[in-house]
């Protein structure tokens, strides 16, 4: 299985997945080639800060880094053996990785070292997203939504109104964000996470990921292969 994909430009992209697989395309997905790395652990998320510098995270606290556009991937010192599910960088040096047992890791030196942040929970954390250098959100099991306003120094639990597992969080601007999850769960905030309200998706399938191309146009994928699209900022969703 492949778990995550990231493109650095229109032609160059990376996908990661089970057994340490990392694939790269240089022609907009027409062809994909396997990249060399030293792990067979499942990889769950990939993120690039520029055309050359990228990170992949996965099981047993695995964090890999490339500085040459994927030619070589090197394991980083991570300070945890908990499975990691998501990685996100706010600039070339500052990044976050989240995972099981409430794990939140932060690097301030482009991945050379990672320090554990106090999340205040032992719930599984599955997705992380920052709207600026200071403000970030994490979602996970039991409807968990955490927010930081000080670059991860403190994380505060938000009221999600659901106990369903949340798999993905995405913001289109500083105030407007979406979280999706189990049983067709879609939550939206228009006030930077102070309040989250449920949106109708028309499905009870698990929603695994959300992505928006602009303020109104967004996509969700579910665990049965369905792609849903909205053209009105989440009010209506149509199967593609």
């Amino acid at each position: 299985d492949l778990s995550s994909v990231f493109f650095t430009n229109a032609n160059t992209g990376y996908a990661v997945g089970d057994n340490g697989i990392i694939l790269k395309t240089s022609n907009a997905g027409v062809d994909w080639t396997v990249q060399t790395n030293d792990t067979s652990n499942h990889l769950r998320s990939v993120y690039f800060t520029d055309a050359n510098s990228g990170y992949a995270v996965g099981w047993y606290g695995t964090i890999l880094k490339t500085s040459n556009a994927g030619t070589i991937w090197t394991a980083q010192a991570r300070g945890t053996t908990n499975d990691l599910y998501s990685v996100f960088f706010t600039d070339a040096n500052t990044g976050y990785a989240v995972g099981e047992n409430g794990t939140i890791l932060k690097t301030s030196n482009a991945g050379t070292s990672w320090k554990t942040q106090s999340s205040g929970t032992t719930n599984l954390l599955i997705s992380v997203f920052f709207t600026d250098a200071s403000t970030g959100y994490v979602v996970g099991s039991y409807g968990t939504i955490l927010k930081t306003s000080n670059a991860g120094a403190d994380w505060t639990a938000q009221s999600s109104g659901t106990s369903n597992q949340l798999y993905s969080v995405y913001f289109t601007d500083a105030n407007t964000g979406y979280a999706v999850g189990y049983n067709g769960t879609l939550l939206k905030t228009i006030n930077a996470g102070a309040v989250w309200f449920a949106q109708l998706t028309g499905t009870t399938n698990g929603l695994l990921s959300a992505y928006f191309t602009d303020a109104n146009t967004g996509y969700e994928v579910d665990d049965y292969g369905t792609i849903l699209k909205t053209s009105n900022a989440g009010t209506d969703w149509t199967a593609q």
Side-chain angles (χ1 to χ4, degrees), residues 145-225:
I145 301 179
L146 306 178
K147 178 181 178 179
T148 182
S149 300
N150 54 12
D154 301 290
W155 292 87
T156 304
Q158 309 292 289
S159 178
S160 68
T162 183
S163 59
N164 288 333
Q165 185 154 295
L166 300 174
Y167 296 113
S168 180
V169 59
Y170 192 95
F171 274 70
T172 56
D173 59 43
N175 291 308
T176 309
Y178 302 82
V180 300
Y182 178 73
N183 200 33
T185 299
L186 169 64
L187 306 178
K188 180 178 180 179
T189 181
I190 56 175
N191 54 12
V195 177
W196 294 82
F197 55 91
Q199 300 278 96
L200 296 176
T201 59
T203 183
T204 56
N205 295 342
L207 301 175
L208 302 182
S209 185
Y211 186 92
F212 279 70
T213 56
D214 58 44
N216 291 309
T217 308
Y219 302 85
E220 300 170 344
V221 295
D222 71 19
D223 51 10
Y224 282 85

Side-chain angles (χ1 to χ4, degrees), residues 130-154:
F130 274 70
T131 56
D132 58 42
S134 298
T135 310
Y137 302 83
V138 174
V139 302
S141 61
Y142 304 107
T144 298
I145 301 179
L146 306 178
K147 178 181 178 179
T148 182
S149 300
N150 54 12
D154 301 290

Side-chain angles (χ1 to χ4, degrees), residues 121-133:
T121 183
T122 58
N123 292 343
L124 170 64
L125 303 177
I126 302 174
S127 179
V128 55
F129 190 97
F130 274 70
T131 56
D132 58 42

Side-chain angles (χ1 to χ4, degrees), residues 17-36:
D18 287 358
N19 302 312
I21 189 75
I22 302 177
L23 304 177
K24 179 181 179 180
T25 180
S26 299
N27 55 11
V30 176
D31 301 295
W32 294 82
T33 57
V34 176
Q35 305 292 285
T36 301

Side-chain angles (χ1 to χ4, degrees), residues 49-114:
T49 56
D50 58 41
N52 291 309
S53 302
Y55 303 82
V57 303
W59 282 13
Y60 309 116
T62 299
I63 301 178
L64 305 177
K65 178 181 179 180
T66 181
S67 299
N68 52 15
T71 302
I72 299 172
W73 292 83
T74 305
Q76 306 295 287
R78 71 277 189 189
T80 185
T81 57
N82 288 326
D83 293 349
L84 300 173
Y85 281 77
S86 182
V87 60
F88 191 99
F89 273 70
T90 56
D91 59 44
N93 291 309
T94 310
Y96 302 82
V98 303
E100 65 178 353
N101 296 320
T103 298
I104 300 178
L105 304 178
K106 179 180 179 179
T107 181
S108 300
N109 53 14
T112 302
S113 60
W114 296 77

